[in-house]
Amino acid sequence: MSSNSYLTHRLTPENTGILLVDHQAGLILGVQDHDQNEVRRNAQALARTAKVFGLPVVATTSAPRGPNGPLLPELVAELPEGAPIIHRSGEVDAFDDPRFDEAVRAMNRPNLVIAGVITDVCLMFASLSALGRGYQVHSVTDASGTTNKLARETSLLRLQNAGATLNSTVGVISELLRDWKNPGGPGTADIFSSLAMPFYGAVMASHSSASGNQG
């Protein structure tokens, strides 16, 4: 069995940390490969996931007082209390800022779930650096975005060839949950219905209505 097998490195609340790289008000405008609002919602969903499952999370920005803009306020509102936000002064690779590197090491989690804007810069370099440091990396494609589909495709090929696991927001959350009977079940349902899978709210409402009618 491969040392990188799913069973060996399965995401759990005890072994996983989340990195949110440069989800900034200016940079998000450059996302053209898929819906900007979906990227916003999925980044929020990952931040809320940290609260539901008790995961450590580190967020970072690049030159937030410049054209990249501040961290998305709706994302800031979802971060767990006390989660560090590292404001870099110009380092392209977040890990080149010693404060970010230290904050990630302090999480002491072997699995890192990483999302970033722009995909071929913020997500790419953070993921590659994390892999180089020995972490198992899940690069979350739908909480990241870039300027065009070609840039996304080449970036994902590079990440995959380097050993990163390409994942989705819902995939990450579901793997952490594992069983709807676990304590994170209600919080997961809330994340799905309000952020990651808005249609799920209608599914739950329909089920609730049907259950009530049967009663």
Side-chain angles (χ1 to χ4, degrees):
M1 182 179 293
S2 168
S3 62
N4 194 35
S5 70
Y6 165 64
L7 292 179
T8 302
H9 300 290
R10 192 174 187 176
L11 300 178
T12 71
E14 294 76 29
N15 69 16
T16 303
I18 296 177
L19 308 183
L20 300 172
V21 185
D22 299 353
H23 291 85
Q24 296 170 247
L27 290 178
I28 198 77
L29 300 178
V31 172
Q32 301 295 321
D33 58 325
H34 57 276
D35 184 74
Q36 291 178 11
N37 288 326
E38 180 186 354
V39 174
R40 290 172 182 263
R41 290 195 306 270
N42 286 333
Q44 290 176 259
L46 290 175
R48 193 181 298 179
T49 296
K51 288 189 286 192
V52 168
F53 293 100
L55 308 181
V57 56
V58 177
T60 184
T61 66
S62 175
R65 295 186 179 180
N68 292 352
L71 198 63
L72 295 171
E74 62 268 35
L75 178 57
V76 174
E78 294 288 355
L79 291 172
E81 184 177 357
I85 302 175
I86 309 300
H87 299 294
R88 309 190 316 280
S89 60
E91 296 86 354
V92 175
D93 181 345
F95 275 96
D96 284 342
D97 186 318
R99 297 170 302 159
F100 182 83
D101 192 5
E102 182 179 350
V104 176
R105 283 190 284 108
M107 295 196 302
N108 195 30
R109 301 296 174 97
N111 291 326
L112 296 180
V113 170
I114 306 178
V117 177
I118 299 292
T119 301
D120 40 330
V121 182
C122 311
L123 173 67
M124 170 74 73
F125 297 132
S127 295
L128 293 176
S129 285
L131 288 166
R133 285 161 169 77
Y135 295 101
Q136 299 294 324
V137 172
H138 287 247
S139 301
V140 185
T141 60
D142 59 358
S144 308
T146 188
T147 54
N148 59 74
K149 292 182 179 180
L150 181 60
R152 178 183 67 198
E153 290 167 3
T154 55
S155 300
L156 299 186
L157 278 172
R158 185 179 179 188
L159 286 169
Q160 212 166 20
N161 288 336
T165 297
L166 304 184
N167 212 334
S168 69
T169 301
V170 169
V172 165
I173 299 169
S174 299
E175 190 168 333
L176 289 166
L177 175 64
R178 190 172 299 196
D179 188 328
W180 282 102
K181 298 186 293 295
N182 285 335
T188 296
D190 175 64
I191 294 171
F192 283 177
S193 61
S194 62
L195 292 169
M197 293 195 300
F199 80 90
Y200 200 69
V203 172
M204 291 195 301
S206 176
H207 173 72
S208 177
S209 176
S211 299
N213 290 336
Q214 290 173 2

